[in-house]
Amino acid sequence: MREGQKQEFARRLRVEMTDAERLLWRHLRNRELTGFKFRRQYPIARYIVDFICLEAGLVIELDGGQHAGSPSDALRTRTLEQQGFLVLRFWNNEVLMQTDAVLAVILDSLSARCPHPSPLP
C-alpha cells in the first residue's frame, strides 16, 4: 500500500463509523468513567482496534457478524491478550439494542482491571 493510500485509509477509519460505533463512542466519551479515557481506531501491533482504554488495558471490538468466531478474530484476540490487554467483543446489534447491558460489562471490566499493573504504551 502506498503512503497516499495509507493516509486515505486512516482518514476513512477516523470519519466513517457504523451506527453501533457511533453510539458506543458517544457513551464512552460522555459517560462518567472516573477518569478513563478511550481512544478510537488505535493501532496496536499489526492491528487497529475499535476502542481502547490504555490506562486499563481494555480493548473493545465490535463485530457486524460477517466473520463471527473466525480464526483471524481468535488470533487477533490471542495476540492482544499476550500483550496484556483484555479484549471485549460485542455484536453491533448488542450495542444498538442492549446498550445499558454492554456499558455495564465495560464498566465492570474497567473496575476489575484498574489500576493496571503497569503502564501500557
Side-chain angles (χ1 to χ4, degrees):
M1 188 180 286
R2 293 178 308 147
E3 189 60 35
Q5 289 173 319
K6 288 180 185 177
Q7 290 173 347
E8 176 61 19
F9 179 71
R11 184 197 66 75
R12 280 196 339 257
L13 283 177
R14 286 191 303 273
V15 174
E16 295 175 6
M17 286 194 270
T18 65
D19 290 342
E21 288 173 325
R22 188 174 294 107
L23 177 65
L24 187 57
W25 182 234
R26 186 173 37 125
H27 281 288
L28 293 175
R29 292 186 68 188
N30 294 337
R31 189 174 273 250
E32 178 55 48
L33 295 174
T34 58
F36 295 109
K37 180 178 180 175
F38 279 85
R39 292 170 178 84
R40 187 178 163 269
Q41 299 298 341
Y42 193 84
I44 297 177
R46 63 180 191 233
Y47 303 114
I48 296 177
V49 299
D50 291 331
F51 302 100
I52 186 169
C53 177
L54 289 171
E55 297 82 7
L58 178 66
V59 170
I60 302 170
E61 296 276 68
L62 299 184
D63 292 323
Q66 67 274 22
H67 47 82
S70 72
S72 62
D73 280 350
L75 175 61
R76 179 181 177 109
T77 297
R78 193 169 46 253
T79 301
L80 293 168
E81 287 175 345
Q82 288 171 349
Q83 294 183 30
F85 292 99
L86 171 64
V87 179
L88 299 178
R89 287 189 177 277
F90 299 103
W91 294 103
N92 285 343
N93 285 345
E94 281 181 294
V95 173
L96 293 171
M97 296 179 185
Q98 302 169 4
T99 308
D100 288 338
V102 167
L103 290 171
V105 170
I106 293 169
L107 291 171
D108 287 347
S109 298
L110 285 171
S111 63
R113 298 219 13 119
C114 285
H116 194 271
S118 61
L120 295 170

